[in-house]
Amino acid sequence: MRGGKFVLAVMMALALAACATNKAFEEGKKLIAEGNLDMGLESLERAAREEPGNLQIRAVLARQREAVANRLLAEGENARALGNLEAAEEKYRHVLRLNPRNERAQAGLDAIERDRRHAEELEKAHALLESGDYSAAETAIWSVLRESPLQPDARRLMKLISDHELQRGDLEQPVLKTGFKQPITLEFRDTGLKSVFEIMARTSGINFVFDKDVKQDSKTSVYLRNTHVEDVLKLLLLTNQLAYKVLNENSVLIYPNTPAKQKEYQELVVRSFYVSNVDVKQMVTMVKGVVKTKDIHVDEKLNLFVMKDTPAAIRLVERLVALNDLADPEVMLEVEVLEIGRNKILNLGIQYPDKMNVSMLNAASTTIGAPPPDMFEISSSGINRSGSNLDRLTGFIANPAMIVNLKKTDGIINVLANPRIRVKNREKAKILIGDKVPVVTTTATANVGVASSVSYLEVGLKLDVESIVSLQDEVTMKVGLEVSNIVKEVPVAGGGLAYQVGTRTTETTLALRDGETQILAGLINDDERTTFTKVPGLGDLPWIGRLFLSESRIRNKTEIALLITPRIVRNISRRGKSESEFHFGTENTVGPLPVTIGKVAPRSLAMSSRPGAVTLSGRESLAAARESRMASDESGSAPAPAPQEVGPSLFLNVPEQAAPGKDFSVSVGLTGAGSLPAAEFELGYDATQLETLDPSGTPGSRQLKLGKGGGAVDVRFRVIAQKPGTAEVSVRNLTLQAEAGESPPEVTLPPPVSIEIR
């Protein structure tokens, strides 16, 4: 008895211990689920210590410890990404307390230490940038980027340094300032190029440095009055096949404009271009065709190309990339598909039996009124060769013997589908509303066996739309619509199965505005079938024949209607002329602006062949410049310009263009002719293109007179030409009515002027 009580006490103690252990285990899981990680793991560890042999508790403890560590690691990484290094460090150290050998936590602590060191370096670099020491700041930033190439603050500061260097490079490009915009008057005839440049240097204060291959003894003729030094320099260089490079604010290097010298003196720049929306190969092909760049590298993985060329060519490519690297237009297609079906079934009349069965009856079949299941044979020997035994041969009609059909069915089917699909420009969108029917194909091969393959036949409504978005916000669509259905199944020899498919197809091209809806309808299938079942002979009798026939009428009518509405999501805007048209340069050189002469005063550019013209050449020009320079140095002021003789000249003002049937005026006159006598001259014009409003004179010529002292006269013309072309107006045969014994002064006639008719 005592032994039994002892065993009972031990069992109760074990049960209580088990209950206590289970309680700690459950409590630990509950605390972890509530977010109390430390206390939950402590409860699980206590339960594992109390039952070291319990595999379930040990497995749950290991799994929960790993889950808690991963959760803390994720929180630490998020805190580190947000810049909260203290909170991240606490999370990582918490993980190490749970598992001192956790590699991710140790790596996180190392990364925090590295981030703090990088923060100090970047703070120092920021201070250096503010003080203007960009070189030292760049060194500090590169020390950070070598360890962490994706560090956002370091990359941001490096971008600031790159932008500053680029801006500084643009600002540090030397620009001539001393006397480059100063007006100058030069008249040289067959003078050495070196002497011309020496006069310009002494007059404007610009230093000219010549390459050893420049032919300084070549002759040139220049007749320019009150023209900027910059324009004079460009003309001299252009006409002598020379080029220049600015060295500083008042120094210019002159060198031959040859490919070899261009390679020697022109600065080159390397630039990388990332292309976002266009294939990089197409962009590179355009750059090579337009800019003629040879040194170019393509990276198809990054959609990047790197080129080396002059700064002017780089700027040109920048604009080309900006103009052509545009996102493709996109359009949203709103499609509504309506299938309207109407079914009518009429089954009316009396259906009589159309066959009679003959069979041997037995007791079982007589009872149930059905033919016996056994087979029998009728021959000259009787039934089943048992002699004449025809009394048991009975004919019967299966039930029911007669059916009265009174049925009429009307059905309406409306199927609506409203898909919306977004598609890029010139891409095809496909919509299938229906089923894919499997078709099994069996192939038998000798000495191999039989193989079966499955293909799928698309049945239903298929819509193919290819959209082209124009700059006028119009969408041109190529629409293909196909409606198909299975008509019947066709068995194939060998066990296969094919299908007979009925198809209705339409294709069209539409041009719709943004938001405009187009309806495509008329795909109608109308099927009507009528069937009469009659009793032979009786069904054909008039009037009473209706009692011996049954009529069945079936009509199926379906119509497909398609409503499609394009809505432009994104389009390309048409660029203006100021953005799409820009200066290129010449065929040989990219970038230089066109050679023009800025007008400073009347008659800025003139050619003189008069013997009395003031012309500086050779030693006279150098002496004049030297005397002017010495006078300026002694007086401390700029030398006054020497007076120049200005002879009379005849001017001809004609408009550049005129429209057919329109009127315009032509002015002819003398300037600088205060002491001139009266003048008479002839104004010639193209009589096939123009006519004067004053019909005096012969066609193609008008005699005009000017009084003493010059003046001007206007002549009105009308364009009689009906097609575009050019008409020429000129001044001929100038005659001065000088006094007896006086020689008339020389007057230069203006060149003929052409008028563009359009």
Side-chain angles (χ1 to χ4, degrees), residues 21-22 25 29 44 47-64:
T21 301
N22 292 335
F25 179 62
K29 292 195 296 183
L44 291 177
R49 287 194 300 268
E50 292 175 355
E51 290 191 37
N54 193 325
L55 297 179
Q56 180 184 4
I57 296 178
R58 292 175 60 184
V60 172
L61 175 60
R63 187 168 60 250
Q64 292 296 335

Side-chain angles (χ1 to χ4, degrees), residues 564-589:
I564 185 168
T565 304
R567 300 192 184 277
I568 297 175
V569 179
R570 180 174 58 211
N571 199 3
I572 299 175
S573 60
R574 186 186 297 274
R575 300 298 181 93
K577 182 178 180 180
S578 59
E579 297 179 353
S580 60
E581 181 179 339
F582 38 88
H583 179 71
F584 174 80
T586 63
E587 184 66 25
N588 297 326
T589 308

Side-chain angles (χ1 to χ4, degrees), residues 351-397:
Q351 183 176 349
Y352 293 91
D354 55 358
K355 64 182 179 179
M356 183 179 67
N357 299 330
V358 178
S359 177
M360 288 288 294
L361 296 179
N362 53 24
S365 62
T366 304
T367 303
I368 63 175
D374 299 334
M375 299 296 295
F376 65 92
E377 179 183 358
I378 302 176
S379 64
S380 59
S381 300
I383 299 174
N384 293 336
R385 299 181 183 276
S386 60
S388 179
N389 187 16
L390 300 177
D391 56 343
R392 297 179 60 190
L393 185 63
T394 304
F396 68 93
I397 298 174

Side-chain angles (χ1 to χ4, degrees), residues 342-346 408-412 527-529 553-557:
R342 187 177 183 88
N343 301 329
K344 290 185 178 182
I345 301 176
L346 177 63
K408 182 178 181 181
T409 303
D410 287 341
I412 298 177
D527 184 10
E528 184 175 358
R529 299 181 182 182
R553 292 184 179 180
I554 300 175
R555 182 176 183 182
N556 297 324
K557 183 177 181 181

Side-chain angles (χ1 to χ4, degrees), residues 152-208:
D153 293 335
R155 293 169 64 89
R156 179 178 57 83
L157 293 178
M158 184 57 69
K159 186 177 184 302
L160 291 177
I161 293 177
S162 300
D163 294 343
H164 172 75
E165 290 180 350
L166 182 61
Q167 183 179 6
R168 184 180 63 181
D170 294 339
L171 295 177
E172 289 183 354
Q173 291 292 334
V175 179
L176 283 174
K177 294 182 179 179
T178 304
F180 207 46
K181 297 295 183 180
Q182 176 181 346
I184 187 175
T185 298
L186 296 177
E187 294 189 11
F188 293 97
R189 179 182 299 160
D190 295 333
T191 305
L193 190 63
K194 179 180 179 181
S195 301
V196 177
F197 276 105
E198 185 173 353
I199 292 296
M200 292 176 59
R202 294 181 179 275
T203 305
S204 61
I206 299 177
N207 303 319
F208 292 101

